[in-house]
PDB file of all heavy atoms in Angstrom:
ATOM      1  N   PRO A 235      90.147 151.432  35.585  1.00 97.00           N
ATOM      2  CA  PRO A 235      88.701 151.377  35.356  1.00 97.00           C
ATOM      3  C   PRO A 235      88.292 150.225  34.427  1.00 97.00           C
ATOM      4  O   PRO A 235      87.217 149.638  34.615  1.00 97.00           O
ATOM      5  CB  PRO A 235      88.388 152.745  34.741  1.00 97.00           C
ATOM      6  CG  PRO A 235      89.435 153.646  35.325  1.00 97.00           C
ATOM      7  CD  PRO A 235      90.674 152.806  35.410  1.00 97.00           C
ATOM      8  N   GLU A 236      89.125 149.886  33.469  1.00 97.00           N
ATOM      9  CA  GLU A 236      88.789 148.799  32.550  1.00 97.00           C
ATOM     10  C   GLU A 236      88.853 147.412  33.191  1.00 97.00           C
ATOM     11  O   GLU A 236      88.496 146.421  32.558  1.00 97.00           O
ATOM     12  CB  GLU A 236      89.693 148.836  31.313  1.00 97.00           C
ATOM     13  CG  GLU A 236      91.182 148.909  31.620  1.00 97.00           C
ATOM     14  CD  GLU A 236      91.713 150.333  31.569  1.00 97.00           C
ATOM     15  OE1 GLU A 236      91.035 151.255  32.089  1.00 97.00           O
ATOM     16  OE2 GLU A 236      92.833 150.520  31.023  1.00 97.00           O
ATOM     17  N   ASP A 237      89.290 147.343  34.454  1.00 98.00           N
ATOM     18  CA  ASP A 237      89.242 146.078  35.191  1.00 98.00           C
ATOM     19  C   ASP A 237      87.850 145.831  35.792  1.00 98.00           C
ATOM     20  O   ASP A 237      87.603 144.753  36.346  1.00 98.00           O
ATOM     21  CB  ASP A 237      90.269 146.068  36.324  1.00 98.00           C
ATOM     22  CG  ASP A 237      91.700 146.122  35.826  1.00 98.00           C
ATOM     23  OD1 ASP A 237      91.994 145.505  34.778  1.00 98.00           O
ATOM     24  OD2 ASP A 237      92.525 146.789  36.470  1.00 98.00           O
ATOM     25  N   THR A 238      86.973 146.811  35.700  1.00 98.00           N
ATOM     26  CA  THR A 238      85.624 146.666  36.223  1.00 98.00           C
ATOM     27  C   THR A 238      84.894 145.523  35.526  1.00 98.00           C
ATOM     28  O   THR A 238      84.791 145.502  34.300  1.00 98.00           O
ATOM     29  CB  THR A 238      84.835 147.969  36.039  1.00 98.00           C
ATOM     30  OG1 THR A 238      85.444 148.996  36.833  1.00 98.00           O
ATOM     31  CG2 THR A 238      83.383 147.794  36.462  1.00 98.00           C
ATOM     32  N   ALA A 239      84.419 144.560  36.315  1.00 98.00           N
ATOM     33  CA  ALA A 239      83.779 143.366  35.766  1.00 98.00           C
ATOM     34  C   ALA A 239      83.318 142.486  36.925  1.00 98.00           C
ATOM     35  O   ALA A 239      83.674 142.726  38.078  1.00 98.00           O
ATOM     36  CB  ALA A 239      84.749 142.582  34.883  1.00 98.00           C
ATOM     37  N   VAL A 240      82.546 141.462  36.589  1.00 98.00           N
ATOM     38  CA  VAL A 240      82.288 140.376  37.529  1.00 98.00           C
ATOM     39  C   VAL A 240      83.363 139.318  37.287  1.00 98.00           C
ATOM     40  O   VAL A 240      83.596 138.920  36.141  1.00 98.00           O
ATOM     41  CB  VAL A 240      80.890 139.775  37.343  1.00 98.00           C
ATOM     42  CG1 VAL A 240      80.662 138.642  38.339  1.00 98.00           C
ATOM     43  CG2 VAL A 240      79.820 140.858  37.509  1.00 98.00           C
ATOM     44  N   TYR A 241      84.015 138.906  38.365  1.00 98.00           N
ATOM     45  CA  TYR A 241      85.114 137.956  38.276  1.00 98.00           C
ATOM     46  C   TYR A 241      84.661 136.579  38.736  1.00 98.00           C
ATOM     47  O   TYR A 241      83.984 136.447  39.763  1.00 98.00           O
ATOM     48  CB  TYR A 241      86.299 138.437  39.113  1.00 98.00           C
ATOM     49  CG  TYR A 241      87.062 139.558  38.459  1.00 98.00           C
ATOM     50  CD1 TYR A 241      86.516 140.837  38.373  1.00 98.00           C
ATOM     51  CD2 TYR A 241      88.322 139.344  37.907  1.00 98.00           C
ATOM     52  CE1 TYR A 241      87.202 141.875  37.744  1.00 98.00           C
ATOM     53  CE2 TYR A 241      89.024 140.376  37.287  1.00 98.00           C
ATOM     54  CZ  TYR A 241      88.458 141.627  37.211  1.00 98.00           C
ATOM     55  OH  TYR A 241      89.135 142.651  36.593  1.00 98.00           O
ATOM     56  N   TYR A 242      85.059 135.563  37.980  1.00 98.00           N
ATOM     57  CA  TYR A 242      84.699 134.178  38.248  1.00 98.00           C
ATOM     58  C   TYR A 242      85.948 133.304  38.198  1.00 98.00           C
ATOM     59  O   TYR A 242      86.926 133.635  37.522  1.00 98.00           O
ATOM     60  CB  TYR A 242      83.751 133.645  37.179  1.00 98.00           C
ATOM     61  CG  TYR A 242      82.497 134.423  36.939  1.00 98.00           C
ATOM     62  CD1 TYR A 242      82.477 135.526  36.084  1.00 98.00           C
ATOM     63  CD2 TYR A 242      81.298 134.050  37.544  1.00 98.00           C
ATOM     64  CE1 TYR A 242      81.315 136.236  35.850  1.00 98.00           C
ATOM     65  CE2 TYR A 242      80.124 134.750  37.304  1.00 98.00           C
ATOM     66  CZ  TYR A 242      80.148 135.835  36.467  1.00 98.00           C
ATOM     67  OH  TYR A 242      78.983 136.532  36.231  1.00 98.00           O
ATOM     68  N   CYS A 243      85.886 132.164  38.861  1.00 96.00           N
ATOM     69  CA  CYS A 243      86.939 131.166  38.679  1.00 96.00           C
ATOM     70  C   CYS A 243      86.312 129.893  38.105  1.00 96.00           C
ATOM     71  O   CYS A 243      85.104 129.656  38.230  1.00 96.00           O
ATOM     72  CB  CYS A 243      87.666 130.863  39.979  1.00 96.00           C
ATOM     73  SG  CYS A 243      86.673 130.033  41.219  1.00 96.00           S
ATOM     74  N   ASN A 244      87.132 129.104  37.485  1.00 95.00           N
ATOM     75  CA  ASN A 244      86.706 127.829  36.914  1.00 95.00           C
ATOM     76  C   ASN A 244      87.960 127.108  36.425  1.00 95.00           C
ATOM     77  O   ASN A 244      89.072 127.654  36.511  1.00 95.00           O
ATOM     78  CB  ASN A 244      85.727 128.038  35.756  1.00 95.00           C
ATOM     79  CG  ASN A 244      84.714 126.912  35.611  1.00 95.00           C
ATOM     80  OD1 ASN A 244      85.072 125.741  35.650  1.00 95.00           O
ATOM     81  ND2 ASN A 244      83.449 127.268  35.476  1.00 95.00           N
ATOM     82  N   LYS A 245      87.781 125.922  35.900  1.00 93.00           N
ATOM     83  CA  LYS A 245      88.905 125.237  35.285  1.00 93.00           C
ATOM     84  C   LYS A 245      89.429 126.084  34.132  1.00 93.00           C
ATOM     85  O   LYS A 245      88.679 126.808  33.477  1.00 93.00           O
ATOM     86  CB  LYS A 245      88.478 123.878  34.771  1.00 93.00           C
ATOM     87  CG  LYS A 245      88.140 122.872  35.862  1.00 93.00           C
ATOM     88  CD  LYS A 245      87.500 121.639  35.275  1.00 93.00           C
ATOM     89  CE  LYS A 245      88.394 120.943  34.283  1.00 93.00           C
ATOM     90  NZ  LYS A 245      87.751 119.773  33.672  1.00 93.00           N
ATOM     91  N   ALA A 246      90.706 125.966  33.851  1.00 93.00           N
ATOM     92  CA  ALA A 246      91.294 126.716  32.750  1.00 93.00           C
ATOM     93  C   ALA A 246      91.305 125.912  31.462  1.00 93.00           C
ATOM     94  O   ALA A 246      91.467 126.480  30.381  1.00 93.00           O
ATOM     95  CB  ALA A 246      92.714 127.137  33.098  1.00 93.00           C
ATOM     96  N   LEU A 247      91.128 124.605  31.558  1.00 87.00           N
ATOM     97  CA  LEU A 247      91.201 123.736  30.381  1.00 87.00           C
ATOM     98  C   LEU A 247      90.049 122.750  30.386  1.00 87.00           C
ATOM     99  O   LEU A 247      89.496 122.423  31.439  1.00 87.00           O
ATOM    100  CB  LEU A 247      92.520 122.948  30.372  1.00 87.00           C
ATOM    101  CG  LEU A 247      93.816 123.729  30.264  1.00 87.00           C
ATOM    102  CD1 LEU A 247      95.004 122.787  30.445  1.00 87.00           C
ATOM    103  CD2 LEU A 247      93.894 124.456  28.950  1.00 87.00           C
ATOM    104  N   GLY A 248      89.695 122.266  29.202  1.00 86.00           N
ATOM    105  CA  GLY A 248      88.697 121.215  29.109  1.00 86.00           C
ATOM    106  C   GLY A 248      87.293 121.716  29.410  1.00 86.00           C
ATOM    107  O   GLY A 248      87.014 122.915  29.363  1.00 86.00           O
ATOM    108  N   SER A 249      86.428 120.771  29.698  1.00 88.00           N
ATOM    109  CA  SER A 249      85.036 121.110  30.006  1.00 88.00           C
ATOM    110  C   SER A 249      84.956 121.853  31.331  1.00 88.00           C
ATOM    111  O   SER A 249      85.525 121.419  32.330  1.00 88.00           O
ATOM    112  CB  SER A 249      84.190 119.847  30.076  1.00 88.00           C
ATOM    113  OG  SER A 249      84.226 119.158  28.848  1.00 88.00           O
ATOM    114  N   LEU A 250      84.254 122.987  31.309  1.00 90.00           N
ATOM    115  CA  LEU A 250      84.138 123.793  32.521  1.00 90.00           C
ATOM    116  C   LEU A 250      83.005 123.275  33.400  1.00 90.00           C
ATOM    117  O   LEU A 250      82.037 122.680  32.919  1.00 90.00           O
ATOM    118  CB  LEU A 250      83.874 125.251  32.156  1.00 90.00           C
ATOM    119  CG  LEU A 250      84.913 125.918  31.255  1.00 90.00           C
ATOM    120  CD1 LEU A 250      84.563 127.389  31.062  1.00 90.00           C
ATOM    121  CD2 LEU A 250      86.313 125.772  31.816  1.00 90.00           C
ATOM    122  N   TYR A 251      83.136 123.528  34.693  1.00 91.00           N
ATOM    123  CA  TYR A 251      82.051 123.261  35.620  1.00 91.00           C
ATOM    124  C   TYR A 251      81.065 124.433  35.600  1.00 91.00           C
ATOM    125  O   TYR A 251      81.313 125.463  34.969  1.00 91.00           O
ATOM    126  CB  TYR A 251      82.602 123.041  37.022  1.00 91.00           C
ATOM    127  CG  TYR A 251      83.308 121.720  37.182  1.00 91.00           C
ATOM    128  CD1 TYR A 251      84.684 121.651  37.379  1.00 91.00           C
ATOM    129  CD2 TYR A 251      82.594 120.520  37.130  1.00 91.00           C
ATOM    130  CE1 TYR A 251      85.327 120.448  37.520  1.00 91.00           C
ATOM    131  CE2 TYR A 251      83.241 119.298  37.269  1.00 91.00           C
ATOM    132  CZ  TYR A 251      84.612 119.262  37.465  1.00 91.00           C
ATOM    133  OH  TYR A 251      85.257 118.064  37.609  1.00 91.00           O
ATOM    134  N   SER A 252      79.972 124.276  36.317  1.00 93.00           N
ATOM    135  CA  SER A 252      78.989 125.360  36.406  1.00 93.00           C
ATOM    136  C   SER A 252      79.637 126.578  37.048  1.00 93.00           C
ATOM    137  O   SER A 252      80.484 126.452  37.939  1.00 93.00           O
ATOM    138  CB  SER A 252      77.788 124.917  37.234  1.00 93.00           C
ATOM    139  OG  SER A 252      77.121 123.839  36.612  1.00 93.00           O
ATOM    140  N   TRP A 253      79.220 127.759  36.592  1.00 95.00           N
ATOM    141  CA  TRP A 253      79.787 128.990  37.124  1.00 95.00           C
ATOM    142  C   TRP A 253      79.234 129.292  38.501  1.00 95.00           C
ATOM    143  O   TRP A 253      78.068 129.030  38.787  1.00 95.00           O
ATOM    144  CB  TRP A 253      79.477 130.155  36.185  1.00 95.00           C
ATOM    145  CG  TRP A 253      80.122 130.011  34.848  1.00 95.00           C
ATOM    146  CD1 TRP A 253      79.543 129.558  33.706  1.00 95.00           C
ATOM    147  CD2 TRP A 253      81.488 130.295  34.522  1.00 95.00           C
ATOM    148  NE1 TRP A 253      80.465 129.545  32.690  1.00 95.00           N
ATOM    149  CE2 TRP A 253      81.658 129.999  33.152  1.00 95.00           C
ATOM    150  CE3 TRP A 253      82.587 130.782  35.242  1.00 95.00           C
ATOM    151  CZ2 TRP A 253      82.885 130.172  32.502  1.00 95.00           C
ATOM    152  CZ3 TRP A 253      83.798 130.942  34.588  1.00 95.00           C
ATOM    153  CH2 TRP A 253      83.940 130.642  33.234  1.00 95.00           C
ATOM    154  N   GLY A 254      80.072 129.868  39.349  1.00 95.00           N
ATOM    155  CA  GLY A 254      79.608 130.388  40.619  1.00 95.00           C
ATOM    156  C   GLY A 254      78.903 131.711  40.427  1.00 95.00           C
ATOM    157  O   GLY A 254      78.647 132.145  39.297  1.00 95.00           O
ATOM    158  N   GLN A 255      78.626 132.387  41.526  1.00 97.00           N
ATOM    159  CA  GLN A 255      77.905 133.660  41.440  1.00 97.00           C
ATOM    160  C   GLN A 255      78.820 134.810  41.034  1.00 97.00           C
ATOM    161  O   GLN A 255      78.343 135.867  40.623  1.00 97.00           O
ATOM    162  CB  GLN A 255      77.223 133.991  42.770  1.00 97.00           C
ATOM    163  CG  GLN A 255      78.102 134.655  43.818  1.00 97.00           C
ATOM    164  CD  GLN A 255      79.109 133.717  44.442  1.00 97.00           C
ATOM    165  OE1 GLN A 255      79.070 132.502  44.236  1.00 97.00           O
ATOM    166  NE2 GLN A 255      80.018 134.268  45.244  1.00 97.00           N
ATOM    167  N   GLY A 256      80.118 134.585  41.120  1.00 98.00           N
ATOM    168  CA  GLY A 256      81.070 135.635  40.790  1.00 98.00           C
ATOM    169  C   GLY A 256      81.155 136.683  41.886  1.00 98.00           C
ATOM    170  O   GLY A 256      80.401 136.688  42.857  1.00 98.00           O
ATOM    171  N   THR A 257      82.127 137.583  41.727  1.00 98.00           N
ATOM    172  CA  THR A 257      82.282 138.691  42.665  1.00 98.00           C
ATOM    173  C   THR A 257      82.513 139.965  41.862  1.00 98.00           C
ATOM    174  O   THR A 257      83.343 140.007  40.955  1.00 98.00           O
ATOM    175  CB  THR A 257      83.424 138.415  43.666  1.00 98.00           C
ATOM    176  OG1 THR A 257      83.466 139.455  44.651  1.00 98.00           O
ATOM    177  CG2 THR A 257      84.777 138.297  42.997  1.00 98.00           C
ATOM    178  N   GLN A 258      81.731 141.008  42.188  1.00 98.00           N
ATOM    179  CA  GLN A 258      81.767 142.258  41.433  1.00 98.00           C
ATOM    180  C   GLN A 258      82.984 143.091  41.832  1.00 98.00           C
ATOM    181  O   GLN A 258      83.209 143.328  43.027  1.00 98.00           O
ATOM    182  CB  GLN A 258      80.494 143.062  41.667  1.00 98.00           C
ATOM    183  CG  GLN A 258      80.492 144.447  41.033  1.00 98.00           C
ATOM    184  CD  GLN A 258      80.403 144.394  39.519  1.00 98.00           C
ATOM    185  OE1 GLN A 258      79.559 143.693  38.956  1.00 98.00           O
ATOM    186  NE2 GLN A 258      81.270 145.149  38.841  1.00 98.00           N
ATOM    187  N   VAL A 259      83.735 143.533  40.854  1.00 98.00           N
ATOM    188  CA  VAL A 259      84.850 144.448  41.057  1.00 98.00           C
ATOM    189  C   VAL A 259      84.560 145.719  40.278  1.00 98.00           C
ATOM    190  O   VAL A 259      84.307 145.673  39.080  1.00 98.00           O
ATOM    191  CB  VAL A 259      86.170 143.819  40.579  1.00 98.00           C
ATOM    192  CG1 VAL A 259      87.292 144.853  40.592  1.00 98.00           C
ATOM    193  CG2 VAL A 259      86.533 142.623  41.451  1.00 98.00           C
ATOM    194  N   THR A 260      84.594 146.848  40.976  1.00 98.00           N
ATOM    195  CA  THR A 260      84.353 148.140  40.340  1.00 98.00           C
ATOM    196  C   THR A 260      85.528 149.057  40.650  1.00 98.00           C
ATOM    197  O   THR A 260      85.872 149.264  41.815  1.00 98.00           O
ATOM    198  CB  THR A 260      83.052 148.771  40.837  1.00 98.00           C
ATOM    199  OG1 THR A 260      81.964 147.872  40.590  1.00 98.00           O
ATOM    200  CG2 THR A 260      82.781 150.093  40.127  1.00 98.00           C
TER     201      THR A 260
END
Side-chain angles (χ1 to χ4, degrees):
E236 51 263 43
D237 295 323
T238 295
V240 180
Y241 284 72
Y242 305 84
C243 67
N244 211 314
K245 291 170 60 182
L247 297 173
S249 300
L250 302 184
Y251 287 112
S252 297
W253 296 99
Q255 83 287 351
T257 186
Q258 174 70 49
V259 171
T260 303

